[in-house]
């Protein structure tokens, strides 16, 4: 689950998902509630061009990930300025703040989460500039690499962006 848009591009997986939503107030954190159940057997994709070829990794646990990031744009309503997954993972220079929650612990009942946005050194929210905020929820933190444990489940509820 993520904020943004999806457009099928079979030639370039990275160009399919674009992350972010316009935000006009200073965000502090992403909060809500979650439950998590990891799958039992972790498989790692050997070659991303052949996602059906995987290897079982004994003793490796899957983990869930909740990520939030704030980035600068010229026009917050221009979808062409949205970041791609590789830009987010490479910590694009446009990202001024981010936060992550990663856990392999099963959580059988809903637990509160609060993922604070941590600003990069020398960066701060400026109301004279424009921003987008993006977040994603992954039941397998390496799912984008076609790696994880089948059966991993992440439930979320009452998600909100907490602003100043």
């Amino acid at each position: 689950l993520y904020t943004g848009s999806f457009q099928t591009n079979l030639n370039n997986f990275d160009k399919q998902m674009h992350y972010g939503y316009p935000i006009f107030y200073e965000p502090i954190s992403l909060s809500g509630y979650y439950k998590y159940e990891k799958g039992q057997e972790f498989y790692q994709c050997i070659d991303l061009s052949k996602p059906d070829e995987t290897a079982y990794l004994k003793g490796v646990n899957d983990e869930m990930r909740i990520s939030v990031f704030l980035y600068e744009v010229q026009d917050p309503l221009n979808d062409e300025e949205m970041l791609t997954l590789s830009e987010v993972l490479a910590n694009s220079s446009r990202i001024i703040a981010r936060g992550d929650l990663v856990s392999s612990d099963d959580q059988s009942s809903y637990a509160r989460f609060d993922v604070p946005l941590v600003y990069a050194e020398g960066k701060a929210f400026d109301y004279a500039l424009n921003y987008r905020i993006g977040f994603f929820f992954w039941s397998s933190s390496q799912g984008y690499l076609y790696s994880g444990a089948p059966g991993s489940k992440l439930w979320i509820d009452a998600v909100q962006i907490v602003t100043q």
Side-chain angles (χ1 to χ4, degrees):
L1 178 64
Y2 62 94
T3 56
S5 66
F6 181 87
Q7 189 171 27
T8 302
N9 185 334
L10 299 177
N11 296 322
N12 189 338
F13 175 78
D14 185 54
K15 298 290 184 192
Q16 294 187 117
M17 290 177 279
H18 295 86
Y19 297 93
Y21 188 80
I23 189 161
F24 303 100
Y25 300 97
E26 180 179 357
I28 301 169
S29 66
L30 180 70
S31 67
Y33 295 86
Y34 80 100
K35 293 192 309 185
Y36 180 63
E37 179 184 321
K38 65 180 169 288
Q40 297 304 307
E41 297 178 340
F42 188 90
Y43 292 87
Q44 183 175 29
C45 179
I46 306 303
D47 179 352
L48 291 179
S49 68
K50 301 174 186 171
D52 57 336
E53 293 182 17
T54 60
Y56 169 64
L57 299 182
K58 186 176 182 175
V60 175
N61 287 323
D62 204 355
E63 55 191 12
M64 64 84 160
R65 175 181 299 269
I66 299 172
S67 292
V68 58
F69 47 94
L70 178 70
Y71 64 98
E72 294 178 23
V73 293
Q74 294 297 312
D75 178 357
L77 303 178
N78 180 358
D79 289 349
E80 298 296 317
E81 294 187 61
M82 294 169 70
L83 293 178
T84 64
L85 179 59
S86 64
E87 290 170 318
V88 173
L89 295 174
N91 206 21
S92 166
S93 62
R94 292 172 47 204
I95 297 175
I96 67 163
R98 69 178 316 140
D100 291 289
L101 171 63
V102 179
S103 177
S104 62
D105 297 335
D106 285 333
Q107 179 64 43
S108 60
S109 60
Y110 278 101
R112 181 160 175 73
F113 71 84
D114 188 62
V115 182
L117 279 156
V118 177
Y119 284 81
E121 189 174 327
K123 299 287 185 177
F125 191 89
D126 181 344
Y127 280 97
L129 300 175
N130 295 305
Y131 301 95
R132 279 186 175 255
I133 190 165
F135 51 86
F136 49 79
F137 301 89
W138 291 343
S139 61
S140 292
S141 68
Q142 295 182 39
Y144 67 98
L145 296 171
Y146 303 112
S147 299
S152 289
K153 298 175 186 143
L154 175 63
W155 294 266
I156 57 169
D157 194 14
V159 173
Q160 63 181 346
I161 299 168
V162 180
T163 59
Q164 194 69 285

